[in-house]
Amino acid sequence: MSNLIEPKILKGFRDFLPEQEIPRKVLMEKLEEVFRLYGFVPIDTPVLEYSEILLRKSNGETEKQVYRFQDNGGRDIALRFDLTVPFARFVAEHKEELAMPFKRYHMAKVWRGEKPQAGRYREFIQCDFDTVGTDSAAADFEILSVMKDSLNALGVSGVTIHLSHRGIFNRFLEKLGIREKSEDILRTVDKLGKTGEEEVLRLLSEITGKPNALEIMEYIKGKDSFEETLTLMEEKSGGESPDSVRLKEIYSMLKNSGIEDSFILDPSITRGLDYYTGIVYETFLNDLPGIGSVCSGGRYDNLTGLYMKERLPGVGSSIGLDRLIAGLEELKLIKKTGSFTKAAIFCQDTNLMCEYQKIAAELRKNGISTEVFPEEKKMGQQYTWAEKKGIPFGILLSGNSLSLKNLKTRDTKEGCSLEEVIKALKEQD
Amino acid sequence: MSNLIEPKILKGFRDFLPEQEIPRKVLMEKLEEVFRLYGFVPIDTPVLEYSEILLRKSNGETEKQVYRFQDNGGRDIALRFDLTVPFARFVAEHKEELAMPFKRYHMAKVWRGEKPQAGRYREFIQCDFDTVGTDSAAADFEILSVMKDSLNALGVSGVTIHLSHRGIFNRFLEKLGIREKSEDILRTVDKLGKTGEEEVLRLLSEITGKPNALEIMEYIKGKDSFEETLTLMEEKSGGESPDSVRLKEIYSMLKNSGIEDSFILDPSITRGLDYYTGIVYETFLNDLPGIGSVCSGGRYDNLTGLYMKERLPGVGSSIGLDRLIAGLEELKLIKKTGSFTKAAIFCQDTNLMCEYQKIAAELRKNGISTEVFPEEKKMGQQYTWAEKKGIPFGILLSGNSLSLKNLKTRDTKEGCSLEEVIKALKEQD
């Protein structure tokens, strides 16, 4: 049998067994429910696109990571490496068909040929939601509110969303006369969480000189309260501006909705990317800040610049699904289960299979997920199967009555009617 | 601006706008609900696999259609072209971790570089469900029952599932002494629906000679009832066999569950593929038989032969999602909608945005999908936006009371409290 192929997957890729895929799906379904309550709608785009579309704006680092090849027709194509570029292409291509403001969510796989390492995969799901076609405080607030509600829906109560504004930061750099170095500065400030103050100060000094670096450090450290920090930001950036007014409007909506305690105005948040122009934010689990931001994003003023003349502003956010799931697992907020089945009907006599199937059909009609063990195997084997799948209840048919067995406690109720079994199972959460 | 890139997708690929993606998602969610009720669990596998894994068993035709390339590490990889081969690899790789019998569903994209034509795409979603690790009549019946329930869940009442058995057909060919030509014969019989009896007879005569061809025609035409056809099949294949007993067992379970009227024993069903060894089936919409089978599959006795010595039997089915959706659209069974939103809160005064957001939050708490128009634009523009999205209700805030407007009929209830609005919206399905 040297002819057998070893069944193996590519490095950096993953199979999801039911005990991983069910929690992931359940989590995504909860997120979708929140998105839909806010009126976000799903779209889908092809996994493969012209390389020209995907890579035009990317830097060399991205390009090296992309799965790119020629198709049989000689076209230069690639697998998408994020959902933002395809969304920009989508909006430009279909702008006449979309009702603006347009709010979409997209949860789908993307691919990057990164060096595989702990928590980094070459195939992973991104979860993006954006509102485009409006530059309004209401849309900014709404994205923040969706973020908070999404994490609540997953059972996470303690989250802190760190918020800042790229426009104010740019005004501040302008005032210092170092606006042209903003990209390097942003990239450096973005490292604060990882490398610490001292190192950031050292790096900033190299870029801007020590006095400017000290100014920047003071700016990004902020103050104790939202209001005080906002005042500091205004002072350092030349006074009140449309950008700082925007932050005030957002803050008043947060207060009005009673969720302001979950938000911190944190001027050190910059989101390295050049792309953002308005508010920017990152989200941390209070009990696990160390894993980094689980949901980040910001406002941009020109999503579709590569494809059309008209500027299209928007605001969006992206949930880091793998990181979030890892965090929720550590916090024991994910119910580990490899099955949806609530009741297993055991098979003690194949001649009764029609009866077993009838009982199963009745349970399913009542919304109870039910499986029939399909063969007359030893009961020990059937119990092992149910246990391995984590099925909570077992049903045995004896004569005209049923026994309902709690497979964890082994408690058994004998002599039940079908109605009694259905009632008992429905009463279990 | 000659620098702009034309936003366009690859030929044979599709964007899904909300009005296409929402119905597709809703449909998939309904299918998943049925799968879960039966205890089928989701898994996921990588989109990219070693070409060796994907292509070993394929014929030249498949190979030509596959998106295959070298990754940056020089590995020969490809995009999956179906979900069956990855499932076989998955089961072989993880067999120790899976509780057998193992029932999985997988709805995911696959890619084939086919010549694009009406209804044929290079990227499409397959929807497979299989039970492996058991060769039992109960598992066969269950798959058929899931198929029937799935289509019912989508609102399709009239479906006919055409059923046959490859094992009996093989016995029949054996008896005629033409078993070694079975592949060509199967392929020809499979064309019956498309080319008609006369052409099939002509082709069969070429393969087996006229007398055998006439025998085959008699066999595949069957009789009026399930029982009579089964008797014919037994007679022509040398009498009762484990295969014909299996069909009887399945039929008695179908009768027992009261769904036998949706099933026809149709010996012309062969499912061209070599792969199947037991029952085979195709499903037709009674009101649209012409679109072909929307759900097909069968039993196989060795899923994982390429990867391991142990034989693993199974039975499975695949829903042709694109074809099914096209059919349901034609039958007006798909609710066309580009939005989940039930209520739009119009913005007449930006200063009241906090109030609007508060109302929206209350509606959402009550499970009502709600959007706030984020800017103070002309009412006409806001109505157009709501209409384009198909939002059924509009809410206006005037003083301390609300107006609830049915955006279709233009009926307006004025002077409502928030509670009244919530009650009224909840009463609408």
Side-chain angles (χ1 to χ4, degrees), chain A residues 357-358 360-368 370, chain B residues 27 29-40 129 141-157 159 161 254 257-259 262-263 283 295 317 319 324:
Chain A
Q357 294 292 350
K358 230 174 181 164
E362 280 306 315
L363 295 180
R364 289 181 196 126
K365 263 184 214 157
N366 282 278
I368 300 161
T370 307
Chain B
L27 186 142
E29 286 164 10
K30 285 180 185 165
L31 293 176
E32 279 198 81
E33 208 179 311
V34 175
F35 299 156
R36 291 176 185 185
L37 271 178
Y38 277 84
F40 286 77
F129 46 103
F141 161 75
E142 193 177 76
I143 287 283
L144 296 171
S145 182
V146 171
M147 287 163 60
K148 169 83 177 134
D149 276 4
S150 298
L151 288 157
N152 277 358
L154 303 180
V156 186
S157 49
V159 296
I161 298 170
L254 292 173
S257 66
I259 56 172
S262 298
F263 292 82
T283 308
C295 183
S317 196
I319 294 176
L324 179 59

Side-chain angles (χ1 to χ4, degrees), chain B residues 144 147-148 151 158-163 262-263 269 271 281-286 288-289 291-297 317-318 323:
Chain B
L144 296 171
M147 287 163 60
K148 169 83 177 134
L151 288 157
V159 296
T160 305
I161 298 170
H162 291 241
L163 187 66
S262 298
F263 292 82
I269 299 296
R271 305 296 304 149
Y281 32 82
E282 297 186 354
T283 308
F284 300 89
L285 304 180
N286 294 351
L288 275 179
I291 64 168
S293 174
V294 294
C295 183
S296 318
S317 196
S318 185
R323 185 180 286 180

Side-chain angles (χ1 to χ4, degrees), chain A residues 199-219:
Chain A
E199 175 67 2
V200 169
L201 177 59
R202 195 185 63 75
L203 290 168
L204 285 175
S205 301
E206 279 179 13
I207 301 166
T208 69
K210 186 97 183 233
N212 282 331
L214 285 168
E215 275 286 319
I216 296 171
M217 291 309 292
E218 200 189 331
Y219 179 91

Side-chain angles (χ1 to χ4, degrees), chain A residues 3 5 15-16 29 36-38 44 47 56 64 72 89 94 109 123 134 306 369-370 375, chain B residues 3 5 15-16 29 36-37 44 47 56 64 72 89 94 109 123 134 306 364 369-370 375:
Chain A
N3 234 347
I5 306 171
D15 279 331
F16 281 74
E29 286 164 11
R36 293 178 184 183
L37 271 178
Y38 277 84
D44 191 40
V47 154
R56 179 66 163 277
K64 261 187 273 166
N72 291 338
R89 194 268 311 146
H94 302 286
K109 285 184 175 177
E123 174 181 74
T134 173
L306 286 176
S369 173
T370 307
E375 295 174 46
Chain B
N3 234 346
I5 305 171
D15 278 331
F16 281 74
E29 286 164 10
R36 291 176 185 185
L37 271 178
D44 191 38
V47 154
R56 179 66 163 277
K64 261 187 273 165
N72 291 337
R89 194 268 309 145
H94 301 288
K109 285 184 174 176
E123 174 180 73
T134 174
L306 286 176
R364 290 181 195 127
S369 173
T370 308
E375 294 173 47

Side-chain angles (χ1 to χ4, degrees), chain B residues 138-241:
Chain B
D140 289 345
F141 161 75
E142 193 177 76
I143 287 283
L144 296 171
S145 182
V146 171
M147 287 163 60
K148 169 83 177 134
D149 276 4
S150 298
L151 288 157
N152 277 358
L154 303 180
V156 186
S157 49
V159 296
T160 305
I161 298 170
H162 291 241
L163 187 66
S164 189
H165 196 297
R166 279 284 283 276
I168 306 178
F169 195 77
N170 284 339
R171 282 170 201 275
F172 164 61
L173 297 182
E174 189 97 51
K175 206 171 155 233
L176 290 179
I178 50 175
R179 174 72 197 270
E180 78 287 356
K181 290 175 177 160
S182 70
E183 231 178 282
D184 285 343
I185 296 169
L186 288 169
R187 231 188 294 277
T188 307
V189 169
D190 204 32
K191 289 180 190 150
L192 186 62
K194 270 186 219 145
T195 62
E197 278 182 37
E198 214 167 313
E199 176 66 2
V200 168
L201 177 60
R202 196 186 62 77
L203 290 168
L204 284 175
S205 300
E206 278 177 15
I207 301 167
T208 69
K210 186 98 184 230
N212 282 331
L214 285 168
E215 276 286 317
I216 296 171
M217 291 309 292
E218 200 190 330
Y219 179 92
I220 64 176
K221 276 202 247 169
K223 297 276 186 183
D224 284 343
S225 70
F226 204 106
E227 285 97 339
E228 285 171 290
T229 303
L230 188 50
T231 304
L232 171 79
M233 289 167 74
E234 282 188 331
E235 281 168 11
K236 297 229 170 249
S237 63
E240 192 179 78
S241 64

Side-chain angles (χ1 to χ4, degrees), chain B residues 356-419:
Chain B
Y356 300 147
Q357 295 292 351
K358 230 173 182 166
I359 298 163
E362 281 306 315
L363 294 181
R364 290 181 195 127
K365 263 184 213 158
N366 283 277
I368 300 161
S369 173
T370 308
E371 289 190 68
V372 179
F373 196 88
E375 294 173 47
E376 189 183 316
K377 290 227 168 126
K378 282 192 191 123
M379 283 309 296
Q381 213 171 324
Q382 297 192 39
Y383 281 127
T384 304
W385 162 83
E387 198 179 346
K388 200 164 173 186
K389 297 189 64 160
I391 300 175
F393 294 94
I395 292 168
L396 292 156
L397 175 64
S398 32
N400 278 322
S401 76
L402 300 170
S403 300
L404 180 63
K405 207 181 184 82
N406 182 321
L407 295 175
K408 231 182 193 165
T409 63
R410 302 271 161 160
D411 280 354
T412 306
K413 251 197 211 163
E414 289 180 358
C416 300
S417 68
L418 180 54
E419 290 68 37

Side-chain angles (χ1 to χ4, degrees), chain B residues 86-103:
Chain B
F87 181 50
R89 194 268 309 145
F90 176 94
V91 172
E93 189 166 349
H94 301 288
K95 64 179 187 299
E96 302 305 329
E97 301 156 77
L98 304 172
M100 293 290 171
F102 178 62
K103 310 199 302 195

Side-chain angles (χ1 to χ4, degrees), chain A residues 345 355-356 359 363 394-405 412-422:
Chain A
I345 299 171
E355 292 311 307
Y356 300 147
I359 297 163
L363 295 180
I395 293 169
L396 291 157
L397 175 65
S398 31
N400 278 320
S401 76
L402 300 170
S403 299
L404 179 64
K405 207 182 186 82
T412 306
K413 250 198 209 164
E414 289 179 358
C416 300
S417 68
L418 180 56
E419 291 67 37
E420 285 167 335
V421 166
I422 290 170

